[in-house]
Amino acid sequence: IFLDNLTPFAQEFEDYIEMVWAKDFQTKDGNFDTIAYYKRYSSELTDFLRMFMAMPCHTILSCHVAMTASEEAVANTQFLQAAKTGIRKEWQPLLTGKIRYVLAGIPDWVMFLRVEEAPGMPTKYVAKLEADDTNVGVAKPRIQPFTNPRRLEFRRNEFYRQFDEALTRYLKTGQAVSLGAGGK
């Protein structure tokens, strides 16, 4: 089952939470209790994601991501100017609230996917299973079936098949697979 895409789904889920539990978010004065709302939203979305990923079948979840710096660095503009290259940036799911931190611990695999295009050259479909030296990411695989998990090139429309073959081979033989140039 492929949930494409978690980012707009989570935004719609916010509306669902607000409609279903609307009366729980009203204060005595009739105001909207934002803290109670986001606690319920985070709890319900976490429960949904755990249920989705625990289904007795293959589940795939895509999500938009954004590059961010730590909150402390963002809050301190002088710090940003003084340490232009020393700040460790982090890829985070484009989600509201703490769910973006909880999400990293739920799935077995987290991959960053992108397309590289260059004039006159074939399009490359690249996945990254581990964070690199300059950026921090949520990619923490439970097992590692690839020799270079920081750059995996897959053939067009064959990501899942190639991933499944690499994983099956690794589980049977213990040999890591190289998916370098050309996705071989």
Side-chain angles (χ1 to χ4, degrees):
I1 298 175
F2 184 21
L3 176 58
D4 184 25
N5 182 301
L6 179 60
T7 303
F9 175 83
Q11 291 169 344
E12 292 294 325
F13 202 81
E14 287 182 32
D15 294 338
Y16 166 76
I17 296 299
E18 189 174 347
M19 288 186 328
V20 172
W21 288 283
K23 61 184 172 188
D24 293 351
F25 309 131
Q26 295 296 319
T27 64
K28 292 177 185 177
D29 301 329
N31 296 325
F32 186 76
D33 186 351
T34 306
I35 295 171
Y37 168 76
Y38 278 109
K39 282 182 181 179
R40 175 63 67 117
Y41 166 74
S42 178
S43 174
E44 294 294 327
L45 188 56
T46 299
D47 289 348
F48 171 80
L49 291 173
R50 288 186 194 285
M51 180 199 68
F52 179 79
M53 292 294 181
M55 292 175 71
C57 62
H58 294 294
T59 56
I60 299 173
L61 177 69
S62 66
C63 186
H64 295 272
V65 294
M67 178 68 85
T68 62
S70 70
E71 290 180 27
E72 296 84 15
V74 171
N76 188 343
T77 306
Q78 291 176 341
F79 178 77
L80 278 174
Q81 293 171 353
K84 289 181 183 177
T85 59
I87 296 173
R88 292 191 51 113
K89 295 180 180 177
E90 181 175 4
W91 288 104
Q92 291 184 344
L94 199 53
L95 300 171
T96 303
K98 72 176 187 173
I99 188 68
R100 66 177 155 244
Y101 304 112
V102 174
L103 177 62
I106 298 174
D108 291 332
W109 301 89
V110 177
M111 293 190 182
F112 296 101
L113 305 173
R114 72 173 190 269
V115 175
E116 294 178 353
E117 298 176 323
M121 301 296 290
T123 301
K124 293 182 183 178
Y125 302 90
V126 181
K128 181 165 76 167
L129 187 59
E130 278 186 4
D132 55 36
D133 295 333
T134 58
N135 299 319
V136 181
V138 295
K140 307 276 189 259
R142 308 305 190 251
I143 60 174
Q144 185 51 263
F146 301 105
T147 56
N148 182 9
R150 294 183 178 157
R151 183 169 179 87
L152 305 169
E153 292 185 29
F154 290 92
R155 288 186 296 276
R156 181 177 184 204
N157 296 326
E158 295 198 22
F159 171 81
Y160 183 77
R161 186 186 61 74
Q162 286 184 266
F163 176 72
D164 189 51
E165 286 175 2
L167 186 58
T168 302
R169 177 179 169 185
Y170 181 78
L171 293 173
K172 286 183 181 177
T173 66
Q175 294 178 339
V177 175
S178 174
L179 288 179
K184 299 177 182 174

